[in-house]
Amino acid sequence: MARVGFIGLGNMGGGMAANLAKNGHDVHAFDLSEEALARARQAGCLPVADAAAAAEGAEAIITMLPAGRHVAGVYTDAVFPHAAPGAVLIDCSTIDVATARQLASDAAAKGLEAVDAPVSGGIAAANGGTLTFMVGGTDAGFRRAQPFLEDMGKAVIHAGASGAGQAVKMCNNLILAGTMIATCEGFALAEKLGLDPQVFYDISSKATGQSWSMTSYCPLPGVGPESPADRDYQGGFAAALMLKDLRLAMAAAAEAGATLPLGTRATELYEAFAAEHGNLDFSAIIKTAQGKA
């Protein structure tokens, strides 16, 4: 197994690093949070003093950070100066396409392979090692990154050239935001019309209203498989993060000259909701449909 540097041990990164350690890798992990470092140690990782220490001597360097500026800063200050020759750089953050492409170009100029590999699946999948990775980069970069990603996920798919992983992620989450809002509005209307929520679920989940938002992540507690709705909307994928992804999608649409009327409205709804409830799971937007937010 390989030495891996892991930078960013938040809700997603912590579980991902733990799965790498579980699969036998020597994981040198860094985060600004002492609590996150303590959890990483308990999971079998070696906490280190800074990002540079995580990068030194690593065969693969994985980042899971909040935004493009954080990834660029870590690459410039710690990864590029300390990465071993031949290391593969794997950024699993969700960032803008332009930054992902620039970092890959900068890495190539230094003789390093860099891929963008954002994830889908949420905290439960990060902890369970069942994430889906959508990967942008060269064929060689994908081959180098694939074994590490497979130790953290159930599906690893090469989306195309550098930046393609980020493009897929924002398009996917644009769809997810829209289907979640529609699912919430359907349940809210069903309740107002006097339908039993479980009966509505039993029918719609087998009819044309079916979607992942309904059958895998139902926004109503006590209906369907367990979801954040059953935990008072704690954990999962925060509304603030969904808003971040929607903003990335809208910015990309503006650059590409695409018109997204539903995406625009979804962004407006999540902006209003996240202003007060950004820490809740994104499915909690059902409170808006119910008139409770």
Side-chain angles (χ1 to χ4, degrees):
M1 290 294 147
R3 176 165 168 176
V4 178
F6 204 107
I7 303 167
L9 303 169
N11 289 333
M12 297 293 291
M16 293 164 66
N19 276 300
L20 287 168
K22 181 180 178 181
N23 280 289
H25 295 291
D26 177 21
V27 182
H28 291 219
F30 174 70
D31 193 276
L32 294 174
S33 165
E34 291 295 332
E35 183 179 348
L37 290 172
R39 288 195 299 268
R41 184 186 296 279
Q42 291 175 347
C45 303
L46 175 67
V48 295
D50 52 34
E56 286 176 355
E59 184 176 321
I61 303 167
I62 301 173
T63 45
M64 190 57 155
L65 298 166
R69 67 181 184 278
H70 302 110
V71 181
V74 165
Y75 271 43
T76 300
D77 297 340
V79 174
F80 288 149
H82 297 279
V88 60
L89 315 183
I90 306 171
D91 180 39
C92 295
S93 319
T94 297
I95 65 174
D96 59 286
V97 173
T99 298
R101 289 174 175 166
Q102 184 62 56
L103 292 175
S105 176
D106 293 345
K110 299 177 183 299
L112 302 168
E113 287 284 359
V115 300
D116 49 287
V119 308
S120 179
I123 296 172
N127 292 335
T130 58
L131 291 166
T132 293
F133 291 90
M134 44 215 85
V135 187
T138 65
D139 289 342
F142 177 75
R143 287 193 297 269
R144 291 286 315 284
Q146 188 173 11
F148 300 101
L149 298 175
E150 287 177 342
D151 282 339
M152 300 183 287
K154 66 177 181 180
V156 180
I157 303 166
H158 192 188
S162 296
Q166 299 297 346
V168 170
K169 174 66 183 286
M170 67 179 63
C171 293
N172 179 79
N173 278 18
L174 179 69
I175 294 170
L176 176 58
T179 57
M180 180 56 76
I181 291 169
T183 300
C184 290
E185 290 184 353
F187 271 107
L189 178 59
E191 285 187 289
K192 288 186 179 295
L193 294 175
L195 295 175
D196 180 284
Q198 185 62 53
V199 172
F200 173 67
Y201 172 87
D202 291 342
I203 296 171
S204 191
S205 65
K206 297 175 180 64
T208 52
Q210 186 275 337
S211 70
W212 184 90
S213 294
M214 175 178 286
T215 54
S216 295
Y217 215 83
C218 187
L220 203 64
V223 180
E226 184 180 351
S227 70
D230 298 303
R231 301 186 295 274
D232 200 25
Y233 302 99
Q234 299 299 314
F237 184 55
L241 295 178
M242 175 56 83
L243 175 58
K244 168 197 164 186
D245 289 1
L246 284 169
R247 286 171 170 166
L248 286 172
M250 297 309 295
E255 276 190 35
T259 302
L260 306 177
L262 291 178
T264 298
R265 183 58 181 147
T267 303
E268 292 169 352
L269 289 170
Y270 272 104
E271 281 177 343
F273 183 75
E276 297 292 333
H277 309 288
N279 61 317
L280 296 182
D281 182 76
F282 80 107
S283 64
I285 201 165
I286 193 170
K287 295 176 183 290
T288 297
Q290 295 170 325
K292 297 178 180 178

